[in-house]
Amino acid sequence: MNLINDLKIVSMKTTREGFGEAMSFLAKKNKDVVVVTADLSESMKVDDLEKTFPEQFVQVGVAEQNMMGVSAGLAMSGKVPFAVSYAVFSPGRSWDQLRVSVCYSNANVKIIGGHTGLSVGPDGATHQALEDVAMTRVLPNLLVVVPADYEQAKKATLAIAEHRGPVYMRLTRPKTACFTTAGTPFEIGKAQILRKGADISVFACGPLVYEALLAAEEIKEKVDVEVINMHTIKPIDVEIVVRSAKKTGRVITFEEHQINGGLGGAIAEVLSENQPTKMVRMGMHDSFGESGEAKELLEKYGMNKDALIKEINNFIKING
Amino acid sequence: MEDLVEKSRKIRVEIIKMLAVAGSGHAAGAMGLADLFAALYFGGVLKYKSSDPSWNERDRLILSCGHYAPVWYASLALADFFSVEELSTLRKIDSRLQGHPVMQDLLKGSGHKQLPGVENTSGPLGQGVSIAVGMALAGKMDSLKCKYICVESDAEQQEGQTWEAYMSAAKYKLGNLWFLIDRNEIQISGNLSSVMPIEPLREKLSAFGLRVFDIDGNNHGEILSVFEKGKLFPDQPKAVIMRTIPGKGVSFIQSDYRWHGKAPTDEEAEKALWELK
């Protein structure tokens, strides 16, 4: 999969930076690409595009419902709008508009939800989107993409621009490990086995994929862990999920999201229909987050390497 | 103008007929706007080619109050976008005439059958207003010469999104955009003044940066002339408060809020059609 050579030596960048850089590239290449934002151009890293291509930038102010509708209207007129905000506001607040104006119309709008997961940190629970995957993946016509790092966010941005139809893409706030490279492939809907293993399958998405890789490396003498990057939650890669579960017979899902309705929910649906497998869903257990540093929060709520290692050991101890 | 009176009558007749066959739907608003739709489609306000519904230079009509669908469908049929016979499939299974309008991107081949002439999807109030802003903005970006006409209900002014959309229309100086507001004073559970007053509407719209006109929405002459007056303000989005009589044309439907969300029975339809002769 062409990952970096040494997982321990990584540079740190944000997924939103990858998105912003890809957007400037796209805006230059295609005059119909338009960014629509609700007052968040700087923190969503589209401020460069705003300066360089002002005629392809629409600022609607703090009005996410209108942002979604305006984007639908632009798309129905041949533009390729990217509706950019924090996920708690959009799709959080703009879900009805996403459902009717965008998805029902199959309008070619790309919805970019930033600042997802607990790693938003000190702003607290109001700003930590932990439900966005659940609320988007039920919508017909909509694809759901969760890039794992900076480089993948760049590739995913280019890929969703090529796809004709609505897409939701989930981004994160803090700098996280850059472990994929320019040479790592990316294809919407194609899950990536980043590490082959025989004992247990860990399906992860977003920056937690890196934590899963670290965990697998750390316990490799005792447990042979398969790590799969589920960068596309919808359409989900049924074939890879089923094949891996069949091989290992043990499954853990790992995400910065509620365990209900997100990646964990999606994998449980696939397996219960195709390959019933004992599984554990790791993520947020039906509660809200709180203020704190990203690292502290991920530790407290069990979403880091150590928590995963503990869960893998438990799983094998209990279920053999 | 005589022709428009006749067209309006025909639109009303088709609305009554299709609602009676459908057995459900919204009568009052649609009937009240028959005069407006006659003026738009047959009075020279809208540029369109019914043989080429996606003609790029057409004027766009966006119906934001989706429950008014019957008046749109009847007008499109009478303007030859599809046959008048098809109106009887309203709200039925496999019909292109959905209960609320839908416009879908067909390139993916979802199997949906698109009704020609429909420009937008609507139902939840307020959404079409933002869509209209997006379309008008795209038209401005592409230097298209066409008009964007968004038809709204007065109760729709109670939605927050509507005002978000007005702000953005004014900010982007969308002089190609018209918001036509049906001021019929009824909504599903009563009159606006008791459910949630929206007055002083004119002042509110004006404060949001729109150029506001007041007209009698059942008067063809006033409808046609407002579009002439609007030309004097090429850089400002326009709002037209159209005072109309809900259910106009049928004595027992007229001005009664209980007909907001109701369709006539066969017997009522017969009586209504007799009145509309």
Side-chain angles (χ1 to χ4, degrees), chain B residues 42-74:
Chain B
F42 308 105
V45 176
L46 285 174
K47 254 189 315 173
Y48 63 88
K49 289 182 185 171
S50 52
S51 58
D52 183 10
S54 49
W55 177 44
N56 202 32
E57 286 161 49
R58 72 193 185 280
D59 292 328
R60 271 71 163 178
L61 185 127
I62 299 101
L63 181 68
S64 189
C65 43
H67 59 287
Y68 283 54
V71 68
W72 202 6
Y73 297 161

Side-chain angles (χ1 to χ4, degrees), chain B residues 29 33 68 152-154 180-185 242 244:
Chain B
L33 284 196
Y68 283 54
E152 308 166 28
S153 66
D154 49 4
L180 308 187
I181 301 164
D182 181 19
R183 188 73 181 93
N184 68 9
E185 185 53 22
M242 307 180 299
T244 66

Side-chain angles (χ1 to χ4, degrees), chain A residues 32 34 55 57-60 62-66 69-70 72-74 76-77 79 96-97 100-101 104-107 141 163-164, chain B residues 98 100-105 107-108 119-124 127 130-131 133-135 137-138 141-142 161 164-165 168 171-172:
Chain A
D32 284 330
V34 178
E55 68 288 354
F57 181 84
V58 178
Q59 173 62 271
V60 297
V62 192
E64 294 78 16
Q65 303 172 53
N66 188 43
V70 166
L74 286 163
M76 290 158 86
S77 308
K79 302 290 173 193
D96 178 30
Q97 289 75 14
V100 175
S101 294
Y104 185 26
S105 299
N106 202 15
N141 293 336
H163 170 81
R164 173 126 197 164
Chain B
Q98 292 293 298
H100 291 78
V102 49
M103 167 64 196
Q104 292 185 328
D105 186 327
L107 290 177
K108 259 179 69 183
E119 297 277 4
N120 69 296
T121 300
S122 59
Q127 294 206 20
S130 295
I131 290 174
V133 171
M135 287 182 173
L137 192 55
M141 287 170 173
D142 293 342
Q161 182 182 2
E164 294 181 1
S168 56
K171 177 189 170 186
Y172 284 97

Side-chain angles (χ1 to χ4, degrees), chain B residues 180-198:
Chain B
L180 308 187
I181 301 164
D182 181 19
R183 188 73 181 93
N184 68 9
E185 185 53 22
I186 62 162
Q187 59 189 110
I188 201 161
S189 44
N191 290 327
L192 270 73
S193 56
S194 64
V195 177
M196 178 51 70
I198 59 169

Side-chain angles (χ1 to χ4, degrees), chain A residues 111-163:
Chain A
I111 299 94
I112 312 300
H115 284 45
T116 62
L118 282 176
S119 61
V120 170
D123 278 344
T126 54
H127 284 54
Q128 295 160 350
L130 293 163
E131 308 80 11
D132 53 309
V133 172
M135 65 199 288
T136 50
R137 87 180 174 86
V138 289
L139 289 172
N141 293 336
L142 187 66
L143 271 48
V144 180
V145 172
V146 187
D149 69 354
Y150 159 82
E151 196 62 59
Q152 190 154 73
K154 265 206 284 195
K155 289 188 195 123
T157 304
L158 302 181
I160 65 173
E162 286 294 314
H163 170 81

Side-chain angles (χ1 to χ4, degrees), chain A residues 24-297:
Chain A
S24 291
F25 173 81
L26 278 172
K28 190 174 178 180
K29 205 178 78 167
N30 180 358
K31 287 289 153 206
D32 284 330
V33 166
V34 178
V35 162
V36 187
T37 187
D39 200 22
L40 288 170
S41 67
E42 194 190 331
S43 57
M44 290 302 289
K45 300 294 172 198
V46 282
D47 45 339
D48 270 353
L49 181 148
E50 178 180 5
K51 281 181 216 113
T52 322
F53 305 100
E55 68 288 354
Q56 285 166 267
F57 181 84
V58 178
Q59 173 62 271
V60 297
V62 192
E64 294 78 16
Q65 303 172 53
N66 188 43
M67 172 182 73
M68 194 66 83
V70 166
S71 300
L74 286 163
M76 290 158 86
S77 308
K79 302 290 173 193
V80 186
F82 282 68
V84 178
S85 183
Y86 292 167
V88 285
F89 308 136
S90 177
R93 194 179 196 137
S94 58
W95 188 85
D96 178 30
Q97 289 75 14
L98 171 61
R99 175 176 178 267
V100 175
S101 294
V102 174
C103 293
Y104 185 26
S105 299
N106 202 15
N108 192 21
V109 178
K110 317 304 168 188
I111 299 94
I112 312 300
H115 284 45
T116 62
L118 282 176
S119 61
V120 170
D123 278 344
T126 54
H127 284 54
Q128 295 160 350
L130 293 163
E131 308 80 11
D132 53 309
V133 172
M135 65 199 288
T136 50
R137 87 180 174 86
V138 289
L139 289 172
N141 293 336
L142 187 66
L143 271 48
V144 180
V145 172
V146 187
D149 69 354
Y150 159 82
E151 196 62 59
Q152 190 154 73
K154 265 206 284 195
K155 289 188 195 123
T157 304
L158 302 181
I160 65 173
E162 286 294 314
H163 170 81
R164 173 126 197 164
V167 181
Y168 170 59
M169 185 167 78
R170 178 179 219 242
L171 299 176
T172 41
R173 176 177 176 268
K175 288 182 177 179
T176 53
C178 301
F179 63 96
T180 72
T181 65
T184 312
F186 178 84
E187 192 184 328
I188 295 172
K190 213 147 187 68
Q192 300 174 311
I193 302 174
L194 297 184
R195 182 191 175 102
K196 279 192 189 298
D199 297 335
I200 188 164
S201 307
V202 175
F203 296 99
C205 63
L208 289 192
V209 173
Y210 177 69
E211 297 292 314
L213 286 170
L214 290 182
E217 181 65 22
E218 193 168 315
I219 57 172
K220 68 180 174 192
E221 308 301 336
K222 289 190 291 181
V223 188
D224 192 12
V225 181
E226 179 144 296
V227 177
I228 300 106
N229 176 17
M230 299 301 297
H231 58 65
T232 307
I233 314 275
K234 189 186 167 198
I236 197 152
D237 192 337
V238 174
E239 198 192 324
I240 284 200
V241 171
V242 169
R243 210 193 309 143
S244 181
K246 199 170 187 175
K247 180 172 69 174
T248 63
R250 303 178 186 93
V251 165
I252 289 179
T253 58
F254 193 40
E255 62 191 313
E256 256 189 83
H257 187 277
Q258 299 291 349
I259 58 166
N260 299 319
L263 172 65
I267 299 278
E269 288 162 16
V270 169
L271 292 180
S272 58
E273 281 188 345
N274 299 283
Q275 178 72 29
T277 308
K278 186 81 188 165
M279 71 179 282
V280 169
R281 292 169 298 156
M282 291 180 72
M284 208 60 180
H285 287 256
D286 201 24
S287 76
F288 287 100
E290 60 181 294
S291 289
E293 290 308 318
K295 208 168 160 233
E296 298 168 329
L297 289 165

